[in-house]
Amino acid sequence: MAPVYEATVSAPVNIAVIKYWGKRDPTLILPTNSSLSVTLSQDHLSTRTTVRASPDFGGDRLWLNGAEEDVGASRRLANAIATARGLRAALEDQAGGGAVPLSQWPVHVCSENNFPTAAGLASSASGYAALVSALAALYELPQSASELSRVARVGSGSACRSMLGGFVAWHAGVAADGSDSLAEQVAARQHWPEMQALVLVVSDQKKAVSSTAGMQTTVETSALFAERVRTVVPARMAAMQRAIAERDFAAFAEITMKDSNQFHAVCLDTYPPISYMNDTSRAIAGLVHAFNAAVGRVAAAYTYDAGPNAVIYALEPDMRALVELLAYCFPRPADTAPEAFYPDPFGLFESPASVGHAVALPAVAALAEATGRFPAGSVRRIIHTTVGDGPRVLSPAQSLLDSAGL
Ligand code: DP6
């Protein structure tokens, strides 16, 4: 039997605490500013991708969450595959005919998220990080994850940060060819083991303006944006790296919230204006500030991307009070069981019945009482997760393709 040339990997989602918004080169996806993110655990949010190369395939094909997509329709996808192939071709040249000519064979790609696409969570970051990691494993590329982040970047900007675990900076770079625009780990996840995140999936009817289109309009029309790029982000990148190095949660949280707020402010300053947060998003932000006031320190930080979902960072010891408050103020949808609404992966509550009832800390209980309850289902589910590692190479048994490569 002929050998099968295949690799399967999984890759994580990342959520920025200093936002990437704006490109100086839309084809190479070179950003106007550096950004910094936290990689989330693949136990709760990840994309798995299998790639196989074969001289018998008629052409490149891709299946995404069970449905075939037209590979030729996406220039970004074609660019990412072509860039990885180029690195393989260089390797084959070096080997002088001693290597299998994988770079000349078509590939079949199958990709699946372990979270519902309908949740409105960004999947392009984990998706492109998984694709590029799978191709790198298949092609046995010698490049580091940081070097390979340049390849993920041409698929989707934020994807370059999903090539590494822990706390990750994407350096904007200055080179016109993008050679210095890559992601680098600022700290490993073990550096700050108490750091955790809650993803609050918020109900939304509206179709949001895509990040790609939105950020281009911002670059062209917002006067605030120019100031953000010139002075605000460089100072915040330095302060954020310091906060992480010193495990200073209050500083981390304040910068995170301010940067999310400024990102949404430049969206409103875009002409015509873009608004991603809805009433529920704003209520969550208000509640986080009230929670911090109630506990007398900055114990939680919200951040929002190009949609209404909230991500809240907090340290492990504060999570129980925070989840109780959120679950009280944002009751689960009528058709959702408590364990589907908040699966409690870390066993914060002995029984799911306690979620949404008594709040442990008196100050937080008083706050819950004073805030009252928003309409059931305003928040559809709460995903509780930790900081995670970078892409993982999985075993052949985890393949998403069948024996025929379909
Ligand atoms: C708001 O990476 O989705 O999530 O590069 O055009 O694919 P493209 O955009 P994308 O933008 C993400 C923007 C953001 C902020 C962030 O992740 O830094």
Side-chain angles (χ1 to χ4, degrees):
M1 219 177 75
V4 174
Y5 294 96
E6 186 185 279
T8 300
V9 307
S10 72
V13 163
N14 74 79
I15 300 293
V17 290
I18 309 249
K19 302 296 186 189
Y20 148 53
W21 194 252
K23 295 181 181 70
R24 64 175 202 276
D25 181 327
T27 307
L28 291 174
I29 311 199
L30 302 179
T32 48
N33 57 267
S34 295
S35 56
L36 202 148
S37 60
V38 179
T39 296
L40 302 184
S41 169
Q42 295 175 62
D43 294 347
H44 308 113
L45 298 165
S46 77
T47 299
R48 191 202 301 184
T49 297
T50 299
V51 292
R52 188 187 297 188
S54 166
D56 303 330
F57 291 157
D60 294 341
R61 289 177 76 180
L62 166 77
W63 293 265
L64 244 182
N65 296 315
E68 183 158 14
E69 305 270 317
D70 179 5
V71 177
S74 167
R75 192 185 57 173
R76 289 164 167 226
L77 184 65
N79 280 353
I81 295 176
T83 309
R85 270 201 180 109
L87 295 174
R88 171 68 193 185
L91 212 61
E92 290 166 10
D93 283 350
Q94 274 170 26
V100 184
L102 297 179
S103 70
Q104 291 164 37
W105 299 351
V107 289
H108 281 187
V109 182
C110 187
S111 193
E112 268 172 23
N113 299 326
N114 74 349
F115 52 92
T117 316
L121 296 164
S123 57
S124 70
S126 54
Y128 274 104
L131 172 72
V132 170
S133 304
L135 287 169
L138 170 71
Y139 291 157
E140 299 183 320
L141 299 179
Q143 281 82 3
S144 68
S146 196
E147 288 168 324
L148 290 169
S149 75
R150 283 189 292 236
V151 186
R153 193 202 69 223
V154 303
S156 178
S158 55
C160 74
R161 298 185 313 237
S162 276
M163 293 297 285
L164 296 135
F167 302 80
V168 181
W170 172 13
H171 305 290
V174 291
D177 67 355
S179 51
D180 57 355
S181 185
L182 44 75
E184 233 172 20
Q185 189 178 72
V186 166
R189 81 199 142 104
Q190 296 86 349
H191 168 73
W192 205 345
E194 300 84 17
M195 179 68 83
Q196 297 193 337
L198 300 173
V199 181
L200 276 62
V201 179
V202 169
S203 287
D204 188 33
Q205 268 61 270
K206 252 185 21 251
K207 170 125 182 58
V209 178
S210 79
S211 320
T212 307
M215 67 175 79
Q216 231 29 49
T217 317
T218 301
V219 173
E220 286 155 19
T221 63
S222 168
L224 278 184
F225 177 73
E227 186 59 16
R228 165 172 172 75
V229 168
R230 199 174 63 83
T231 62
V232 180
V233 172
R236 281 188 186 155
M237 282 295 291
M240 182 56 96
Q241 292 188 53
R242 224 169 21 244
I244 292 168
E246 293 167 4
R247 289 187 284 266
D248 179 347
F249 186 82
F252 170 92
E254 187 176 321
I255 302 167
T256 297
M257 292 188 278
K258 285 183 168 174
D259 204 70
S260 175
N261 293 340
Q262 186 174 74
F263 155 50
H264 292 279
V266 301
C267 285
L268 271 190
D269 189 49
T270 298
Y271 190 81
I274 307 167
S275 68
Y276 289 123
M277 293 170 67
N278 64 19
D279 287 349
T280 305
S281 322
R282 282 184 286 272
I284 294 165
L287 194 58
V288 167
H289 283 292
F291 176 78
N292 290 341
V295 299
R297 65 202 153 81
V298 188
Y302 54 76
T303 185
Y304 302 81
D305 283 338
N309 292 338
V311 173
I312 301 179
Y313 289 109
L315 300 180
E316 194 272 331
D318 292 319
M319 275 297 184
R320 186 183 159 122
L322 187 58
V323 172
E324 282 194 77
L325 175 66
L326 291 166
Y328 177 82
C329 296
F330 296 95
R332 66 188 157 86
D335 60 356
T336 303
E339 55 280 11
F341 179 67
Y342 176 71
D344 195 10
F346 305 105
L348 288 187
F349 305 95
E350 300 79 7
S351 84
S354 70
V355 177
H357 295 294
V359 173
L361 299 173
V364 177
L367 171 59
E369 191 73 19
T371 306
R373 311 189 85 169
F374 289 82
S378 305
V379 171
R380 277 163 37 208
R381 54 192 288 222
I382 300 177
I383 302 166
H384 185 173
T385 190
T386 55
V387 185
D389 57 357
R392 304 172 182 165
V393 177
L394 306 178
S395 76
Q398 313 258 63
S399 173
L400 296 170
L401 291 168
D402 65 16
S403 56
L406 300 173

